[in-house]
Amino acid sequence: MNIRFFTILFCACTLTACTQEETLTTTDDDALSAVIPTAGLVDAISVDTRALSGPVTSFPTNTDEVFAVTAYKSASAPDATSGFDFGSGVYFENLAVNSGNSGIFSLASPQYYPIDREGLYFYAYGPVATAATTAGADGYAAGNGTTHPTVTWTIDGSQDIMYANVTTGIRKKSTEGEVQEQPDFTFAHLLKRIRFKLIKGPGFGDKLNATSISLTRCRTQATLDLISGELTFAGEETSLSLTGTFPINPETSANELSSNLLCQSGETLYLSVDVDNGQTYEKVIDLNDAENSDEQITPGGAGVNYLVTLTFLGTAVLPQVTIAEAWEYGGEASQTIQ
């Protein structure tokens, strides 16, 4: 499911962020020509600064750095093949967007449309990253020449990486009575989401708990090309895990876990579950087999939301996978664990 953002005229800036390439001449209507992304909210969610909890169906109120925006000033959409310089052509970059009361959003420092009315092209992402300290390190890396800006994270399963752009070339309004056009972002999820439900089946012990649920063989260094929107992964394969005490109850009293994992898109899940009976159960799940009524869904694709139900038997674990509601509905998968 995409997240739609609408724009209204409002300005409330509380945080200092990036620099602007050119010095603007103040005019009487500059306040009405500010660059202002805002959003109406439906549901509040729990958000950790710089790490949005998934799935994000709306952004929270009264929260700093809910996403970030970079803008380029150009006569046409930035394109390295046409000689555009992603270093000198930046208008403002990696500027955080904060939310205030009633879900009203504002750039962390005020920005205005160029007085010469050349177009602005906007690229947004979340969760917000600070500037990378070295090449290849986590953080935002500015563009330079034909090199696009990028953002790199080391994910731990909790981050919901999202991306949006507006590349129509928005210009400062031309007359005093004209309403200033604003960027209208539609964010897309770039990871898949895995939810879990644990069920005690016939022959399995009473009052047992899972202590760790892991997705293994995951790459965790994620890099976003801020111009193309492509998310790529690198590094060694490792595990993304939920740890705690997760009761394995009979089906009549079993509930979905409140925690979930977000990971790289792909059709196969490699699952490992530790139980406090001293056993470790491992399963490979093909998401092509998930119960799914929507043929438009890409199995294991970005933005797809799966509910994995694990039924523990005396000698097996039976997984069932359903593509769940919220993002794109992907279906269900189940497994018996023995």
Side-chain angles (χ1 to χ4, degrees):
M1 178 181 292
N2 289 332
I3 303 174
R4 190 78 171 166
F5 291 91
F6 300 94
T7 54
I8 60 175
L9 291 175
F10 181 85
C11 188
C13 303
T14 60
L15 183 66
T16 301
C18 315
T19 60
Q20 188 164 306
E21 286 290 317
E22 74 176 63
T23 301
L24 302 181
T25 303
T26 300
T27 66
D28 291 340
D29 67 345
D30 271 352
L32 297 180
S33 297
V35 179
I36 305 169
T38 64
L41 299 178
V42 178
D43 299 310
I45 59 171
S46 173
V47 172
D48 187 15
T49 301
R50 303 181 192 279
L52 296 174
S53 301
V56 176
T57 56
S58 59
F59 287 116
T61 60
N62 297 313
T63 302
D64 289 346
E65 301 185 354
V66 290
F67 61 92
V69 180
T70 290
Y72 287 93
K73 179 174 180 272
S74 178
S76 59
D79 182 359
T81 62
S82 63
F84 186 82
D85 189 317
F86 288 95
S88 62
V90 70
Y91 190 67
F92 62 80
E93 66 179 334
N94 204 34
L95 184 57
V97 174
N98 305 326
S99 68
N101 293 326
S102 303
I104 296 174
F105 278 47
S106 59
L107 291 171
S109 65
Q111 305 293 321
Y112 302 96
Y113 288 96
I115 291 176
D116 63 9
R117 302 196 68 248
E118 194 164 28
L120 293 187
Y121 297 81
F122 299 93
Y123 303 85
Y125 76 91
V128 177
T130 57
T133 55
T134 58
D138 284 4
Y140 177 90
N144 183 30
T146 60
T147 302
H148 293 175
T150 59
V151 190
T152 298
W153 301 265
T154 299
I155 63 173
D156 60 13
S158 68
Q159 295 90 346
D160 185 359
I161 298 176
M162 296 180 295
Y163 174 78
N165 63 37
V166 175
T167 57
T168 53
I170 299 179
R171 294 169 171 77
K172 175 182 169 66
K173 65 177 188 174
S174 58
T175 62
E176 183 176 349
E178 182 182 354
V179 175
Q180 176 63 58
E181 183 183 0
Q182 297 287 357
D184 180 9
F185 289 116
T186 300
F187 277 82
H189 300 281
L190 300 184
L191 300 175
K192 68 174 181 277
R193 181 191 183 216
I194 310 298
R195 297 154 57 182
F196 299 96
K197 185 177 183 180
L198 310 181
I199 296 177
K200 175 188 176 299
F204 197 72
D206 295 330
K207 298 182 179 179
L208 292 175
N209 305 287
T211 57
S212 174
I213 303 172
S214 300
L215 300 177
T216 63
R217 299 177 62 174
C218 298
R219 286 188 168 85
T220 57
Q221 186 180 53
T223 298
L224 172 66
D225 183 315
L226 197 58
I227 304 303
S228 71
E230 181 182 8
L231 186 67
T232 57
F233 286 81
E236 298 295 325
E237 291 183 341
T238 186
S239 296
L240 299 174
S241 301
L242 299 176
T243 57
T245 300
F246 309 113
I248 304 173
N249 291 325
E251 186 171 6
T252 54
S253 58
N255 296 308
E256 181 185 330
L257 303 187
S258 59
S259 301
N260 58 89
L261 293 171
L262 296 103
C263 59
Q264 179 182 6
S265 58
E267 298 179 357
T268 305
L269 291 181
Y270 298 91
L271 184 67
S272 178
V273 182
D274 293 335
V275 177
D276 57 9
N277 62 0
Q279 298 296 311
T280 295
Y281 304 91
E282 296 183 345
K283 284 289 179 180
V284 178
I285 300 175
D286 186 348
L287 296 177
N288 288 287
D289 298 332
E291 297 177 11
N292 174 24
S293 59
D294 187 349
E295 296 181 354
Q296 302 302 314
I297 295 294
T298 300
V304 182
N305 177 21
Y306 290 92
L307 174 61
V308 175
T309 300
L310 300 173
T311 302
F312 293 75
L313 304 181
T315 58
V317 174
L318 175 64
Q320 178 181 357
V321 179
T322 303
I323 298 179
E325 68 280 357
W327 298 4
E328 286 189 301
Y329 186 79
E332 294 192 5
S334 62
Q335 283 281 335
T336 297
I337 297 182
Q338 293 180 324

